[in-house]
Amino acid sequence: METLTLDTFVTKSKSDSPSGPYIKVGMDTGGIAAGAARVLEVLQEEVKLAGLDLPVLPTGSLGYSFVDPLVEVKTESGLRTVYGKIDEESAKQIISDHLKEGKLLDDHVVASRKRTNDLGDTQTFAILVKDTSCDGGDKTQFFQASFEEDFRHEGLTGKVQVVRALDMGIYGEGLVVKLLPSGVTYANILTRDIAQIVDQSLKGDKVVDHRVYAKNDPQNRVVLRNCGRVNPESLEDYVAAGGYQGLAKALKASPEETISTMKDSGLRGRGGAGFPTWLKWKLTSDVEADQKYVICNGDEGDPGAFMDRSVLEGDPHSVLEGLMLAGYAVGATKGWFYIRAEYPLAVERIRIAIEQAQEAGILGEKVLGTDFSFDAEIRLGAGAFVCGEETALIASIEGMRGSPEPRPPYPSVKGLWDKPTSINNVETLAAVPAIMAKGARWYSSIGTEKSKGTKVFAVTGKVKYPQLVEVPMGTSLQQIVFDVCGGVLDDIPIKGVQTGGPSGGVIPEQHLNTPVTYETLQELGSIMGSGGMLIMDEHDCMVDVAKFYLKFCVDESCGKCAPCRIGGYQMLQLLELISSGKASLEDLSHIERICNAMKKASLCGLGQTAPNPVLSTLRYFKNEYIAYIEGGPRYARQRKRELAGKPERKAS
Amino acid sequence: MIQEIINATINGIPIKVPAGTSILQAAQGVQVKIPTLCKHKDLLPTAACGLCIVNIAGSPKKPRACCTPIEEGMEITTHDSDLTDIRRSTLELILSNHPNECLTCGRNGNCELQSLAGDFGLRQDLIPRYVRELPCDDSTGSIILDFRKCIKCGRCVQVCQDVQNVWALSFLERGINNRMAPAGDILLNESPCIRCGQCSAHCPTGAIVESDEVTTVWDALHDENKYCTVQVAPSVRVALGEAFGLPPGTNLTKKIYAALRRLGFKAVFDTNFSADLTIMEEASEFIERFVHGKGEIPLITSCCPAWVDYMEKRFSDFIPNFSTAKSPQQMMGVMTKTYYAEKVNMDPAKIYQVSIMPCTAKKYELERTDEMYASGYKDVDVALTTREFARLIKQSGIDFLNLPDEEADSILGEYSGAGTIFGYTGGVMEAALRTAYFKVTGKNLQQEAIDIQPVRGLEGVKEAEIDVEGTKVRVAVAHAIGNVEKVLNKVRAARDSGEETPYHFIEVMACPGGCIGGGGQPYGIDNEVRMARIRGLEADDRDCKLRFSHENPEIQAAYKDFLGEPLSEKAEALLHTKYVARPSYSK
Amino acid sequence: MNMSAAPPVALQEPEPDVLEEIQHLLDKWKDKEGNLIMILHEIQNKYGFVPRDVALAVAKRLEIRLAQIYEVLTFYHYFKLVAPGKHNITVCNGTACYLKGCAQLIQKLETILGIPEGQTTKDQMFHLETVRCIGCCGMSPAMVVDGRTLGKVKPDDMKALVDDIKTIEKASGEERDN
């Protein structure tokens, strides 16, 4: 990429966007684990063999972890098709069937979640069908056959394809059909509706009103806007997608204006505590110093959370741009990425992004020809969850044990090497360029009064379709779990949702309708946290879950302060006693006492919040604790057998 | 700079404090004691124990008093039922992770954890005890580490790393396994440890204690074949009283003599005498090098065995600069087993010498090199710290405070004021300069110039230029051994660039404040205590008839009757030693 | 009275070739801020763990104390102080995997290999450990065997998995012997 100046840069437009056909493969850690690297190879070989002229490129994750590895195909016509669960065999089919013959593959299409009730003027060339009912037997094949038969009668065979979809993004709505390319979707279709649909919507141009499914997917991709779309190793791709426009805009105005835009946007820290981002920047900006720093906290450590990893792997330039904006706002000339060593791909992608930005004059002396200079470096974590704590993170970069230090002084005043430092998490930083480019008003129109914008969640556990979800603040858990992620595995009744990871708590079934905001989750005894969301079905044992999270905190405690170091360990021992049926009711009161001491006398957030999983399960599921205590060892053994037996029965 | 004054209230009491004052400090000012097990006056807060939490009106958090600076208008509550309850729970947790061995512990009766447990009335173990079984480390023979008793307050690590810059102790692992240990899990004597004992002086529990040799001394005293002699170090006399409830700085020299005699020592000597002897040798050595150009300048003092060890491990390029004069402890030992033995016509093999020292490293010095056997026998047989000595007295049934005053025994008992000030930082320098001045000029310093003020006080590095009849002697004094590096680096820089050395004479003592702040002194050290002990020795110096080592008649007799003159062949053989470079890690 | 300085005592230095590598590493990092953990990462990437003599050599050359290096090495679980086994089996213990039964996987592997989690078999062949989350929650329970991620694994698969590695080892061993 040629060296850019602020003026040439802002005139660059989307017209530069690489147009034309391509194949993109979701090369994030999850995708690679599912075989994406091999798929990429095969696709490249096959494209060559077939003598086709189109690039096969890597991209990040679209978030649909349950159908990894993902492949996106864009053809000459401009139509984009996403395929999931692609292996070598199906990769070859993409070339032979889709690209050569224009035939979509059965059982691999992941339907776009955009839905409409407008047929538009383009002729339908294919329909996607899928049985989304939860009654066990999958009738998709039968459904496809019914359409095909009808097509034969109506002379549509060969003109419109009937394709079995892998995923429609619609769950529990019976038979669903989606028309391509319009996106008109019908749900809960009965056999008798087929003829009507064919007649009206395929042969004619009318929508069958009573079956239209126009309910929109609640998702709104701000942070994940480029994930799975741009090539994370291409600066051109990012710029073509509107990248670095926010920075260019900010550089034309004062740092104060950047801060005020952030204030108007209402963005709050996505790392967990929800501290207003603008205020953090302002506090750092207000301190006079010869050197200031900004740090991107990429030490995502909640077990079961992979939002930050996906963004770092899928859209590294957006995080870099966010960090630069933070640097510009606070007056820092140096930024640090602190990333888990367990995320080698994320580290590599950020490294490439930094290099590319340096080469293009976006990073370094006189950014885009302005007076703002900024550079960035990467430092690795080394397996310590507590380093998510700001002061511990700083200690770690400085080459010391990651033990938190008392605050004040806050890092905004005395941070890295005693210089004023602003630390923001990956998700926060990735949102910043979008806000700068599109404006505070746009962002603040999303979400609720006090919690603005969107939040990314990693929904896992006993959920049918584990994935990354980005929804506006205020979306209910119910919507996230059932509408977006298809509900509970095997349709077992849900027991609750754990949010906030080891610092959070369990929200029981009766509160699933609560809109998700910082405040509501706290009222329910949990926290937003970084965005892990664990779904539990009614068989899951809450004492076990509490133990799991507490054990995590005990393993990850830095061990510096007594309440956390000993309190966590001793509480875990007491929980072990309970789950082996050897505890008494008195032990429960000891647990509560220890929780209280840990919450109030621990030095840092890890210790202060470590009791939350225990406290919240005690609040909503005390009966399960009592059952162990009253049931004794015999009950405990029986329960253990039940719990151990379950994974064997499951298959997803 | 005008310091900003902050107004706030503590438990409703209005306070005015300078900006930056912690809640803990401010509370002490209004007679409020907030419990803590980790904060030590000498050290920065580690915020580890969690006991000093307080409430601040309007804040949901409970910040730690030790590390929270007071802000304008703060309304602080330090004690209420909720805070007390949390403190009790935290204490219970700490106890649940601590062996229940108070009765057999080295800190029984003066343990900070034990006192707090007592204050909070903990009557039963509510939480099952978990203590990781780790063997004690007694490898140094000076200090014993009992890792099980460690409450991870971080004081020892901070003292060892940040104050002393020794880095023998560290934290290893994390979480419940977080533990204080020598770096890399080796034994303490394989580490850079210099046995200064500052860790033990700052430890709130029995996790680090001196190696107790009281019974060895009892055995010797009861051994009819042994002729037990004893020496008592300068700084012991102004600190021992604290173990008997007296204020720091109380001079108990004559009661100590009496107690030692009642314990059964046949001859009671004073290390102050051999301090005078050290000055005779060292001042002569200084003149040899400074005036006659024989040997390296600056001359660096060597009476602190922890410093000697540190130098051999980290600054061995300064070996030629070291005074070869032995420490007063070792001079006393060899003089007892040669000169005194001759005088009283006693087989030195039968003489047993005990030293009472403020120091844990003195135990190590006894066998440091072959020269410590210059008499043909082990010159000093056993060294007790002040703390052990207090226990010895208590075990003996002596009503110590009511003892009549007694005198030391000649011919190794008389001392000058110059000998007694060996006990604090700057004292060795001052004593040496007093004698060097005389040796160069042939006359003593004027009465008003005897106290060499610039080398006194608790500043970490003190520099001065002393006028010796027109010749400027540049001196530096460093204490708390972490401070020595700055001084030596200056010397190195000059040496490497071929410039004139910045100093001619350097005194180093490993412990903050010098020996009065030694690692073997009674517990409860801080700068206030250090100053009080220093004042005690300064008074002792002032009250002495003799203020100059060279005027001590027993010293004069020793040279006349036995040694000849300073740096004579005999003096060299008996009173001087050698140094070798050693690795910091022997493993 | 003349005391000549004894030659400075040499620390236990690593082999010259190792020393050269360390020097190379330090040349790259020495003047950068926040270099210690990065250097330790590179050492571990090279040797699979951080040997004591290498740590000592690094301390000496960075002019920091060995204590600081060990404080760091033992604090961060990523670093190893002893050589790991030849084959690394890492079971993900993230939340999703936990809920889907990774405990049974670990138990099974512990039985098959005869070592508790976190240890290496006596023959140095296998190292078994858990990791807090590898971020493949969509494929839980997941594990990583010698860098290869396996998803949706079952306890009953474990025997074959270990046997496969053993068979390959045996074959290559025989090849060597021939």
Side-chain angles (χ1 to χ4, degrees), chain A residues 315-555:
Chain A
D315 195 11
H317 278 289
S318 77
V319 190
L320 178 57
E321 188 183 352
L323 188 67
M324 295 183 72
L325 282 162
Y328 183 63
V330 307
T333 54
K334 182 83 187 245
W336 303 87
F337 284 93
Y338 183 80
I339 307 175
R340 283 181 74 181
E342 294 89 338
Y343 285 176
L345 190 60
V347 173
E348 179 62 8
R349 296 247 160 100
I350 288 289
R351 191 189 62 73
I352 293 171
I354 291 175
E355 254 177 39
Q356 290 173 339
Q358 282 167 340
E359 275 170 31
I362 295 173
L363 207 54
E365 292 292 316
K366 298 202 173 291
V367 169
L368 294 174
T370 65
D371 285 339
F372 174 56
S373 295
F374 188 88
D375 217 335
E377 274 190 63
I378 301 171
R379 290 294 177 268
L380 299 186
F385 175 69
V386 70
C387 288
E389 199 71 32
E390 292 192 345
T391 52
L393 188 157
I394 288 172
S396 181
I397 294 183
E398 290 175 350
M400 293 184 289
R401 292 161 72 82
S403 292
E405 293 294 324
R407 298 182 298 183
Y410 288 91
S412 55
V413 178
K414 208 175 165 191
L416 190 61
W417 292 296
D418 291 343
K419 303 294 182 190
T421 305
S422 177
I423 305 174
N424 295 102
N425 123 301
V426 169
E427 192 183 331
T428 316
L429 289 176
V432 169
I435 296 172
M436 287 311 296
K438 290 185 166 182
R441 189 180 293 179
W442 160 76
Y443 191 77
S444 67
S445 70
I446 309 167
T448 68
E449 168 88 44
K450 282 186 173 170
S451 300
K452 301 289 187 195
T454 60
K455 176 78 192 91
V456 184
F457 292 102
V459 188
T460 61
K462 298 291 180 60
V463 64
K464 263 193 196 150
Y465 307 111
Q467 58 190 294
L468 272 193
V469 172
E470 183 172 2
V471 289
M473 290 280 189
T475 308
S476 73
L477 290 170
Q478 177 82 30
Q479 279 175 292
I480 296 171
V481 177
F482 289 90
D483 295 352
V484 182
C485 299
V488 179
L489 202 57
D490 293 349
D491 297 305
I492 297 167
I494 191 166
K495 183 179 253 179
V497 177
Q498 211 280 354
T499 70
S503 308
V506 177
I507 315 276
E509 188 263 337
Q510 66 264 32
H511 290 301
L512 290 187
N513 272 321
T514 318
V516 174
T517 68
Y518 289 103
E519 288 74 25
T520 48
L521 290 182
Q522 207 153 21
E523 277 161 34
L524 291 172
S526 184
I527 61 162
M528 176 83 71
S530 57
M533 207 172 254
L534 182 76
I535 314 306
M536 285 163 296
D537 70 31
E538 68 171 15
H539 300 302
D540 287 317
C541 169
M542 289 299 120
V543 179
D544 241 29
V545 168
K547 234 167 57 182
F548 171 79
Y549 281 112
L550 185 65
K551 180 162 189 312
F552 179 85
C553 285
V554 168
D555 287 345

Side-chain angles (χ1 to χ4, degrees), chain A residues 33 293 303-304 309 340-341 379-385 396-397 399-402 417 460-461 534-535 544 548-549, chain C residues 29 33-34 36-38 41 68 71-72 75-79 93 95-96 98-100 104 132-135 137 149 155:
Chain A
Y293 296 112
R309 196 207 68 213
R340 283 181 74 181
R379 290 294 177 268
L380 299 186
F385 175 69
S396 181
I397 294 183
M400 293 184 289
R401 292 161 72 82
W417 292 296
T460 61
L534 182 76
I535 314 306
D544 241 29
F548 171 79
Y549 281 112
Chain C
W29 282 105
E33 292 170 307
L36 178 58
I37 289 182
M38 301 304 281
H41 269 299
Q68 189 186 341
E71 287 201 333
V72 165
F75 183 89
Y76 295 97
H77 282 182
Y78 198 83
F79 295 125
N93 194 21
T95 323
Y98 175 74
L99 219 54
K100 298 232 181 119
Q104 280 82 43
R132 49 176 204 227
C133 184
I134 55 172
C137 310
T149 307

Side-chain angles (χ1 to χ4, degrees), chain A residues 382-386 401 404-409 554-563 565-570 573-574 577 586-587 590 593-594 596-598 600-604 608, chain B residues 45-51 53 61-62 64 67-69 71 82 85-86 88-90 92-97 126-130 150-153 171-179:
Chain A
F385 175 69
V386 70
R401 292 161 72 82
E405 293 294 324
R407 298 182 298 183
V554 168
D555 287 345
E556 296 297 334
S557 163
C558 80
K560 172 172 171 166
C561 84
R565 179 184 70 242
I566 313 170
Y569 178 87
Q570 292 291 26
Q573 303 310 303
L574 292 173
L577 270 188
E586 220 185 5
D587 290 320
H590 292 328
R593 272 170 60 77
I594 297 175
N596 191 40
M598 281 182 81
K600 293 174 180 161
S602 292
L603 179 61
C604 79
Q608 288 162 6
Chain B
T46 61
C49 75
L51 290 173
I53 49 165
K61 302 220 160 179
K62 298 190 188 302
R64 283 158 158 72
C67 54
T68 308
E71 287 170 26
D82 186 32
D85 193 48
I86 296 165
R88 182 175 291 115
S89 301
T90 304
E92 273 170 20
L93 285 171
I94 294 173
L95 286 186
S96 79
N97 191 219
L126 294 176
I127 309 162
R129 192 174 299 275
Y130 166 75
C150 173
I151 60 167
K152 287 85 184 171
C153 67
F171 276 122
L172 293 181
E173 303 184 56
R174 73 179 191 209
I176 190 72
N177 294 322
N178 178 26
R179 62 198 165 93

Side-chain angles (χ1 to χ4, degrees), chain B residues 163-214:
Chain B
V163 178
Q164 300 294 74
N165 198 17
V166 168
W167 292 76
L169 293 180
S170 61
F171 276 122
L172 293 181
E173 303 184 56
R174 73 179 191 209
I176 190 72
N177 294 322
N178 178 26
R179 62 198 165 93
M180 164 272 294
D185 246 354
I186 45 179
L187 291 174
L188 195 57
N189 73 339
E190 297 160 343
S191 83
C193 177
I194 56 167
R195 303 163 178 87
C196 68
Q198 283 302 313
C199 50
S200 72
H202 287 85
C203 179
T205 71
I208 310 181
V209 292
E210 67 284 355
S211 172
D212 189 302
E213 293 175 283
V214 173

Side-chain angles (χ1 to χ4, degrees), chain B residues 86-148:
Chain B
I86 296 165
R87 285 177 188 146
R88 182 175 291 115
S89 301
T90 304
L91 258 182
E92 273 170 20
L93 285 171
I94 294 173
L95 286 186
S96 79
N97 191 219
H98 188 83
N100 197 2
E101 295 174 1
C102 288
L103 288 181
T104 50
C105 176
R107 290 299 291 270
N108 186 15
N110 52 24
C111 165
E112 294 177 41
L113 177 58
Q114 193 183 41
S115 323
L116 265 189
D119 293 348
F120 275 81
L122 300 185
R123 292 291 175 267
Q124 62 183 120
D125 295 330
L126 294 176
I127 309 162
R129 192 174 299 275
Y130 166 75
V131 182
R132 187 172 168 191
E133 278 306 322
L134 292 163
C136 284
D137 181 341
D138 56 0
S139 60
T140 62
S142 296
I143 303 157
I144 296 177
L145 307 180
D146 189 343
F147 304 106
R148 301 167 313 136

Side-chain angles (χ1 to χ4, degrees), chain A residues 111-112 115 128-130 132 165-170 176-178:
Chain A
S112 144
R115 295 184 269 272
L128 300 174
V129 296
K130 169 88 180 164
T132 70
L166 175 61
D167 177 72
M168 284 286 199
I170 299 172
V176 175
V177 59
K178 182 168 191 168

